[in-house]
Amino acid sequence: MHLDPNPFFRKSITTWYDSNFICWALIIVMLFVFAFAIFGIVIASNNINFIEHVWFPYFLAFLSLFLVIKIFFRLRKRFQTDN
């Protein structure tokens, strides 16, 4: 059986949770979470009772910023391959 010398490849279908709209919406939501975490860091740093719990807003800020960067690179790679 011979392989087709001129195959026809279709563009892969992206799932709904990996669509461009959902990725941009997730970036916006995670930026709000990042801002919320920054406010939490400021509040927890100013109050002596909350100093021991300041690790949580730091962790939340790190995770939300990490997710924003990861999704941004995914979208950038997707737009570079489309053009």
Side-chain angles (χ1 to χ4, degrees), residues 29-40:
V29 168
M30 286 299 113
L31 287 176
F32 281 121
V33 171
F34 180 74
F36 178 73
I38 295 299
F39 288 133

Side-chain angles (χ1 to χ4, degrees), residues 7-82:
F8 178 72
F9 294 103
R10 294 183 182 163
K11 187 177 176 182
S12 62
I13 299 172
T14 53
T15 53
W16 68 268
Y17 54 84
D18 196 24
S19 65
N20 291 340
F21 175 75
I22 297 297
C23 286
W24 284 113
L26 191 58
I27 286 175
I28 291 169
V29 168
M30 286 299 113
L31 287 176
F32 281 121
V33 171
F34 180 74
F36 178 73
I38 295 299
F39 288 133
I41 291 169
V42 170
I43 297 299
S45 297
N46 290 336
N47 193 338
I48 194 72
N49 296 329
F50 297 140
I51 289 292
E52 61 190 29
H53 302 293
V54 77
W55 65 270
F56 187 76
Y58 276 116
F59 188 61
L60 186 64
F62 169 74
L63 288 180
S64 62
L65 191 62
F66 176 75
L67 192 58
V68 165
I69 292 169
K70 186 173 177 171
I71 293 174
F72 177 75
F73 282 134
R74 178 185 295 175
L75 284 173
R76 192 179 80 168
K77 185 173 73 170
R78 186 179 299 162
F79 285 133
Q80 285 177 350
T81 59
D82 286 345

